[in-house]
Amino acid sequence: MHFGPDAGYAHRFVTGLLGRLLDELDGAGRRRALAGLRASLEAHETADGVLYESAARLITAGRT
C-alpha cells in the first residue's frame, strides 16, 4: 500500500482519515499514538514513497 511520497505527507493523510479515532485519548495517549504512527511511517519510507506490504484475495462463487 502506498501512503504518499514521504512520512510527513503520509502522517497528514492518515491522521486526516483516522484522526477521530484519537478523540477519546488524553493528551499523553494522543501524543504516544501519533509518535508511534510517525515512527512506523518513517520506518516504511522508501525512495518510492511510504510503502507497506499488503495482500488481497478475491473469491467468487457461482451456482451450477
Side-chain angles (χ1 to χ4, degrees):
M1 261 181 104
H2 184 265
F3 281 88
D6 58 49
Y9 178 93
H11 192 267
R12 290 186 301 277
F13 175 71
V14 173
T15 56
L17 288 175
L18 304 173
R20 63 179 164 46
L21 297 175
L22 304 174
D23 288 347
E24 294 184 23
L25 297 176
D26 63 12
R30 184 177 176 84
R31 285 188 295 277
R32 278 192 312 274
L34 290 172
L37 172 62
R38 170 77 65 179
S40 179
L41 294 169
E42 288 174 354
H44 287 86
E45 190 170 13
T46 72
D48 295 321
V50 178
L51 302 172
Y52 285 80
E53 290 186 27
S54 65
R57 293 181 187 204
L58 177 61
I59 300 171
T60 60
R63 181 177 266 183
T64 58

